[in-house]
């Protein structure tokens, strides 16, 4: 599904990713954990194609193709989805319109006919159950005036409708109380399948109680410094990131500390 | 610009007036003659505005003065057929369309529908003599042509337009559409459309003025509309400026409101090479309500200047103003929004917003809110923004499978929708949305109407 090789990237003149290697197979859920500033969100943005982040070295293969050569929309057409940490408010564009336009763009790319208004409404109603969203949501402008929880649920709804092959969830748990977290996690779990891979980026372990990952990677200072199974997340929760930081400093003897 | 040169620029207009004074059968013996004479005298005194004048600082009228425009003396269809009008009439919109070509009423192209009792809708040129008693107290009594050369010229040369009078308590549900078409056919033509709308006590009316012309045609429209809204009257006024990209368009809308009268004004500018509009509202008595919405979408080398003036001369009135601009290519926009709250206009509630979206590096906009508040118990706010397309929103939409071009268009549409959605005539709202959508899809950016 996804192979990342020696990925380096920077934003402005600050080097943020310093050599990431990762393999994600179809149907797998991997978690990326790490302290603030370790490069988690940058990785998500590079994979989704944000232009303000510059890839300086390395390669990313997605379904055997050079992901980095594709513009963001083509990545979406090919089945990649990013759930934003901070979903953007877009006044004047309804959620319904956005979803329909997106879904039809993907269908067009795959040589499928556009869905009509009635089919689309039926589809979206079914998906809305997954995240417990009220229908009034759809006519509201995208994320405008949404609460933090509504924004995150909207991200999961969009994911459900666009039906990606690879979903990247960037701190989808941040800013949620426990009830909202449960709703979002249930939504995500409902979308797990043998064909769909997920990269779950999170600062805290608590989301991983609900969305149990196959692998956990710890990102520190732009590199994956440790990988393991779900127990690694539990260990991190108990010992904190200081443990990893110490270990990483030891490993990288002489390397400059995190900026 | 020296005074001497400005003097020369006036000459063709003064000469044209002298000719008409001698030759025009319509002017001969008309009660409007002194009005015209007074107006041309004022024009001769003030001359064309220069960039040194505060109200014209951002707009040079020099390009208008370089072209030898001439008015068409009498009606001619100029080859226009009913079929050719369809692109301007928002089909299948059922309403009264009054068509004017190069300033003259076109009876054969107009579509008149039965009017309710108490409603008069007539070409102004016909109504002037017939209805002198009711027109004379209003015509040229509301718009200020003492400081506005083009308003003075309009009064001096006014040709035709519409006279609307709604009796006290009467109403017309169907909008009235005035379609002013210009076409130069090689000879640069100037027209002086003039409208007078008198809405009686408690009456209701909505009126649409369209200004259009074929592509690449060079002509000049100098238009003026006066609206008098009586006590508790409600008037909606739409002006849709879709002139040729080479045309000059200067227009004034003056609305005077009585007690508790309400005015909705939508000023939409899509075409024109050099455009200047003044939309003025005066609260002559307490409790009035005004909503001024505007939208200017420019491209190429268009220059569109919107001046608005809301004069809170009476207490307890409310004004809401929202003007939005989308500027592409090398075009230039101007928004100058003046609000005066007079000393006795306590409990005034005035809000003004101007937002601009620059979609090219070379586009430019000037936004000047001017609030003069002389009363102390008032609520006044204003805000102006000039921005570019939000890159975060672009990225977000593209990750949702929407192509870069489509995302950009969607954000432009979303930006203008705030104004379009407020429109209360569905065929106009939908028609404009469609026009804009087609234009964006053709990849003209926000440019001149294609």
């Amino acid at each position: 599904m996804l192979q990342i090789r020696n990925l380096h990237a920077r934003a402005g003149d600050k080097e943020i990713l310093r050599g990431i290697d990762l393999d994600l197979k179809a149907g797998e859920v991997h978690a990326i954990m790490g302290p603030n500033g370790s490069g988690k969100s940058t990785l998500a943005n590079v994979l989704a194609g944000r232009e303000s982040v510059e890839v300086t070295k390395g390669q990313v293969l997605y379904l055997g193709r050079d992901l980095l050569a594709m513009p963001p929309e083509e990545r979406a057409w090919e089945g990649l989805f990013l759930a934003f940490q901070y979903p953007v408010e877009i006044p004047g564009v309804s959620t319904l319109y956005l979803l329909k336009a997106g879904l039809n763009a993907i269908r067009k790319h795959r040589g499928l006919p556009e869905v009509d208004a009635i089919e689309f409404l039926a589809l979206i109603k079914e998906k809305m159950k997954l995240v417990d969203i009220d229908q009034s949501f759809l006519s509201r402008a995208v994320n405008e005036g949404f609460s933090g929880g509504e924004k995150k649920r909207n991200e999961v709804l969009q994911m459900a409708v666009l039906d990606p092959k690879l979903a990247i969830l960037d701190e989808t748990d941040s800013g949620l109380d426990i009830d909202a977290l449960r709703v979002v996690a249930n939504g995500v779990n409902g979308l797990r399948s043998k064909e769909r891979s997920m990269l779950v980026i999170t600062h805290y372990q608590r989301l991983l109680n609900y969305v149990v990952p196959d692998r956990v990677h710890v990102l520190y200072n732009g590199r994956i410094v440790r990988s393991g199974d779900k127990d690694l997340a539990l260990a991190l929760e108990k010992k904190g990131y200081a443990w990893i930081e110490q270990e990483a400093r030891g490993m990288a003897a002489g390397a400059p500390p995190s900026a | 610009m020296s005074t001497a040169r400005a003097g020369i620029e006036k000459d063709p207009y003064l000469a044209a007036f002298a000719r008409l004074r001698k030759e025009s059968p319509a002017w001969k013996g008309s009660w409007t003659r002194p009005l015209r004479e007074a107006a041309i005298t004022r024009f001769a005194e003030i001359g064309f505005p220069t960039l040194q004048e505060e109200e014209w600082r951002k707009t040079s009228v020099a390009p208008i003065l370089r072209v030898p425009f001439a008015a068409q003396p009498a009606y001619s269809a100029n080859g226009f057929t009913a079929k050719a009008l369809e692109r301007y009439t928002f089909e299948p919109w059922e309403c009264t369309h009054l068509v004017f070509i190069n300033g003259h009423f076109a009876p054969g192209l107009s579509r008149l529908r039965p009017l309710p009792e108490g409603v008069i809708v007539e070409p102004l040129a016909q109504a002037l003599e017939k209805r002198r008693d009711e027109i004379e107290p209003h015509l040229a009594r509301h718009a200020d042509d003492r400081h506005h050369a083009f308003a003075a010229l309009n009064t001096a040369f006014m040709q035709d337009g519409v006279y609307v009078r709604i009796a006290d308590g009467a109403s017309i549900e169907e909008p009235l559409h005035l379609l002013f078409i210009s076409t130069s056919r090689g000879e640069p033509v100037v027209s002086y459309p003039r409208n007078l709308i008198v809405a009686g006590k408690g009456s209701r009316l909505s009126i649409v003025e369209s200004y259009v012309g074929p592509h690449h045609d060079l002509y000049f429209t100098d238009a003026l509309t006066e609206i008098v809204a009586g006590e508790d009257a409600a008037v909606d006024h739409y002006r849709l400026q879709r002139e040729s990209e080479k045309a000059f368009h200067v227009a004034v809308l003056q609305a005077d409101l009585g007690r508790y009268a309400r005015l909705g004004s939508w000023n939409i500018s899509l075409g024109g090479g050099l455009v200047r509009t003044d939309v003025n509202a005066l609260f002559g008595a307490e409790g009035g309500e005004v909503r001024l919405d505007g939208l200017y979408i420019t491209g190429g080398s268009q220059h569109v200047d919107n001046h608005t003036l809301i004069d809170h001369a009476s207490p307890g009135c409310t004004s809401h103003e929202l003007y939005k601009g989308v500027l592409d290519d090398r075009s230039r926009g101007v928004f100058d929004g003046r609000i005066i709250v007079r000393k006795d206009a306590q409990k005034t509630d005035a809000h003004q917003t101007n937002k601009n979206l620059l979609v090219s590096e070379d586009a430019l906009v000037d936004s000047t809110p001017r609030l003069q508040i002389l009363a102390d118990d008032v609520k006044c706010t204003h805000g102006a923004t000039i921005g570019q397309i939000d890159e975060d929103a672009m990225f977000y939409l593209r990750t949702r499978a929407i192509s870069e071009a489509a995302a950009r268009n969607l954000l432009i549409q979303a930006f203008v929708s705030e104004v379009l959605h407020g429109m209360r005539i569905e065929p106009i709202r939908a028609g404009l949305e469609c026009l804009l959508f087609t234009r964006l899809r053709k990849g003209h950016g926000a440019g001149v109407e294609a």
Side-chain angles (χ1 to χ4, degrees), chain A:
Chain A
M1 180 70 72
L2 184 73
Q3 292 162 298
I4 303 176
R5 292 287 172 267
N6 193 29
L7 184 66
H8 288 67
R10 66 175 179 210
D13 48 14
K14 195 174 164 203
E15 192 172 27
I16 298 174
L17 302 184
R18 303 161 183 247
I20 303 242
D21 288 277
L22 188 86
D23 278 285
L24 181 62
K25 294 194 178 60
E28 286 183 348
V29 174
H30 287 204
I32 306 247
M33 300 186 69
N36 291 330
S38 59
K40 302 188 300 287
S41 278
T42 300
L43 177 61
N45 279 310
V46 166
L47 294 176
R50 193 189 277 274
E51 277 155 6
S52 58
V53 185
E54 188 197 350
V55 174
T56 51
K57 212 194 276 181
Q59 195 187 30
V60 180
L61 286 180
Y62 169 65
L63 298 169
R65 291 185 59 195
D66 179 5
L67 182 73
L68 301 177
M70 299 181 212
E73 57 270 34
E74 195 182 337
R75 300 178 197 204
W77 298 338
E78 293 290 343
L80 186 142
F81 180 87
L82 169 66
F84 280 56
Q85 179 180 8
Y86 302 110
V88 182
E89 297 193 8
I90 308 186
V93 178
S94 75
T95 304
L96 189 71
Y97 184 92
L98 171 71
L99 285 172
K100 189 156 175 264
L103 179 64
N104 280 330
I106 290 172
R107 290 178 66 88
K108 194 176 159 202
H109 182 71
R110 294 178 188 164
L112 298 167
E114 295 198 348
V115 291
D116 65 33
I118 296 165
E119 287 172 310
F120 183 69
L121 220 59
L123 170 82
I124 205 160
K125 272 188 181 162
E126 180 204 319
K127 304 294 184 191
M128 284 169 75
K129 286 185 208 147
L130 205 65
V131 278
D132 191 22
I133 280 179
D134 186 78
Q135 201 170 338
S136 67
F137 222 72
L138 298 174
S139 53
R140 288 165 67 187
V142 178
N143 295 322
E144 195 184 30
F146 284 22
S147 71
E150 284 175 330
K151 283 182 182 173
K152 296 302 174 80
R153 276 190 280 169
N154 192 18
E155 293 295 288
V156 178
L157 172 68
Q158 293 181 42
M159 174 165 116
V161 171
L162 300 181
D163 192 22
K165 298 187 178 102
L166 170 60
I168 302 159
L169 306 175
D170 187 7
E171 305 218 11
T172 299
D173 53 333
S174 67
L176 296 185
D177 62 35
I178 193 69
D179 293 329
L181 179 72
R182 219 175 268 139
V183 171
V184 165
N186 282 341
V188 172
N189 280 332
L191 293 170
R192 282 181 82 154
S193 83
K194 269 190 276 201
E195 291 82 36
R196 187 170 1 248
S197 311
M198 291 188 192
L199 205 53
V200 179
I201 292 170
T202 179
H203 185 86
Y204 302 103
Q205 186 269 339
R206 60 175 196 163
L207 175 67
L208 305 180
N209 287 335
Y210 301 95
V211 181
V212 181
D214 299 303
R215 296 283 291 166
V216 175
H217 309 278
V218 182
L219 196 59
Y220 178 72
N221 204 14
R223 289 192 193 93
I224 290 175
V225 291
R226 200 177 245 263
S227 296
D229 62 13
K230 61 178 174 14
D231 295 337
L232 177 57
L234 291 169
L236 269 177
E237 180 73 4
K238 224 161 86 186
K239 298 191 195 173
Y241 283 113
W243 160 55
I244 292 291
E245 284 171 26
Q246 272 167 14
E247 207 175 85
R249 283 210 193 92
M251 244 166 54
S258 166

Side-chain angles (χ1 to χ4, degrees), chain B residues 97-167:
Chain B
H97 297 275
L98 288 120
V99 179
F100 299 83
I101 294 183
N102 289 348
H104 299 280
F105 181 55
L109 295 171
S110 297
R111 265 187 285 165
L112 306 175
R113 291 159 62 87
L115 298 169
E117 206 169 317
V119 176
I120 292 168
V121 177
E122 279 174 11
L124 181 70
Q126 290 172 27
L128 273 180
E129 303 304 326
K130 200 166 75 183
R131 303 188 185 277
R132 175 179 177 175
D133 290 352
E134 49 188 87
I135 291 179
E136 197 172 7
H138 293 297
L139 189 72
R141 307 271 174 205
H142 302 279
D144 173 16
D145 56 13
R146 281 163 310 177
H147 305 98
H148 196 301
F150 296 93
L153 278 181
N154 183 287
T155 299
F157 287 104
M158 59 185 161
Q159 295 163 307
D160 211 344
V162 76
Y163 169 60
V164 180
R165 196 201 68 192
I166 317 280

Side-chain angles (χ1 to χ4, degrees), chain B residues 31-305:
Chain B
W31 64 270
T32 60
R33 183 69 182 274
L35 278 183
R36 294 182 191 274
E37 295 287 350
I40 199 75
T41 304
R42 274 193 301 277
F43 166 73
E45 282 163 19
I46 58 180
F48 286 109
T50 67
L51 293 173
Q52 275 73 52
E53 282 168 49
E54 178 64 21
E55 294 292 328
W56 294 84
R57 229 155 30 93
K58 302 286 167 55
T59 298
S60 165
V61 300
I64 306 178
L65 312 182
R66 282 198 285 270
V67 183
F69 289 107
Q72 189 177 299
Y75 170 68
S76 155
N78 286 290
F80 266 98
T81 58
K83 185 86 195 140
L85 300 190
E86 277 176 13
R87 56 183 304 219
Y88 307 125
T89 49
F90 301 94
E91 298 300 323
W93 183 27
E94 300 224 327
C95 74
T96 290
H97 297 275
L98 288 120
V99 179
F100 299 83
I101 294 183
N102 289 348
H104 299 280
F105 181 55
L109 295 171
S110 297
R111 265 187 285 165
L112 306 175
R113 291 159 62 87
L115 298 169
E117 206 169 317
V119 176
I120 292 168
V121 177
E122 279 174 11
L124 181 70
Q126 290 172 27
L128 273 180
E129 303 304 326
K130 200 166 75 183
R131 303 188 185 277
R132 175 179 177 175
D133 290 352
E134 49 188 87
I135 291 179
E136 197 172 7
H138 293 297
L139 189 72
R141 307 271 174 205
H142 302 279
D144 173 16
D145 56 13
R146 281 163 310 177
H147 305 98
H148 196 301
F150 296 93
L153 278 181
N154 183 287
T155 299
F157 287 104
M158 59 185 161
Q159 295 163 307
D160 211 344
V162 76
Y163 169 60
V164 180
R165 196 201 68 192
I166 317 280
D168 291 353
S171 280
I172 172 163
E173 296 299 328
E174 266 183 17
L176 299 168
H177 185 212
L178 316 182
L179 177 55
F180 295 96
I181 304 173
S182 291
T183 178
S184 58
R185 316 191 104 199
E187 303 270 316
V189 68
V190 56
S191 66
Y192 300 97
R194 178 75 176 218
N195 305 301
L196 174 63
I197 294 143
V198 183
K201 200 169 166 181
S203 68
R204 262 205 329 271
L205 154 80
S206 69
I207 192 155
V208 182
E209 293 177 29
S210 284
Y211 294 89
V212 305
H215 281 297
H216 312 306
D217 254 19
L218 175 63
Y219 59 84
F220 173 28
T221 308
D222 178 354
L224 199 155
T225 296
E226 289 170 292
I227 297 176
V228 190
E231 182 175 334
D232 206 29
V235 178
D236 276 356
H237 180 270
Y238 298 77
R239 75 185 321 281
L240 313 178
Q241 185 276 108
R242 301 164 64 191
E243 306 268 34
S244 138
E245 78 286 4
K246 283 200 183 133
F248 302 112
H249 180 99
V250 180
V252 173
L253 170 67
Q254 175 69 45
D256 289 3
L257 283 81
R259 238 172 130 240
Y260 298 104
R262 298 181 296 283
L263 169 77
S265 157
W266 285 266
N267 180 16
I268 313 296
S269 229
L270 301 177
L274 172 56
V275 176
R276 162 65 182 256
T277 59
D278 286 73
V279 173
N280 306 325
L282 167 70
F283 289 112
E286 66 185 320
E289 262 180 56
V290 155
R291 164 186 189 162
L292 296 190
D293 280 8
L295 182 62
Y296 41 105
I297 300 182
T298 63
S301 54
Q302 280 181 288
H303 179 111
V304 175
D305 178 341

Side-chain angles (χ1 to χ4, degrees), chain B residues 3 125 136 139 203 211 251 254-255 313 315 362 375-376 378 398 422 426:
Chain B
T3 340
E136 197 172 7
L139 189 72
S203 68
Y211 294 89
Q254 175 69 45
D362 300 320
D376 47 26
V378 301
R398 293 175 75 188
E426 179 55 23

Side-chain angles (χ1 to χ4, degrees), chain B residues 421-450:
Chain B
H421 284 174
M423 296 187 157
R424 295 191 269 246
I425 302 177
E426 179 55 23
I428 297 277
R429 192 199 60 71
L432 285 177
E433 212 159 58
C434 183
L435 215 73
L436 186 64
F437 185 64
T438 317
R439 199 203 284 197
L440 289 169
R441 258 230 305 235
K442 280 188 189 150
H444 287 275
V448 181
E449 186 174 333

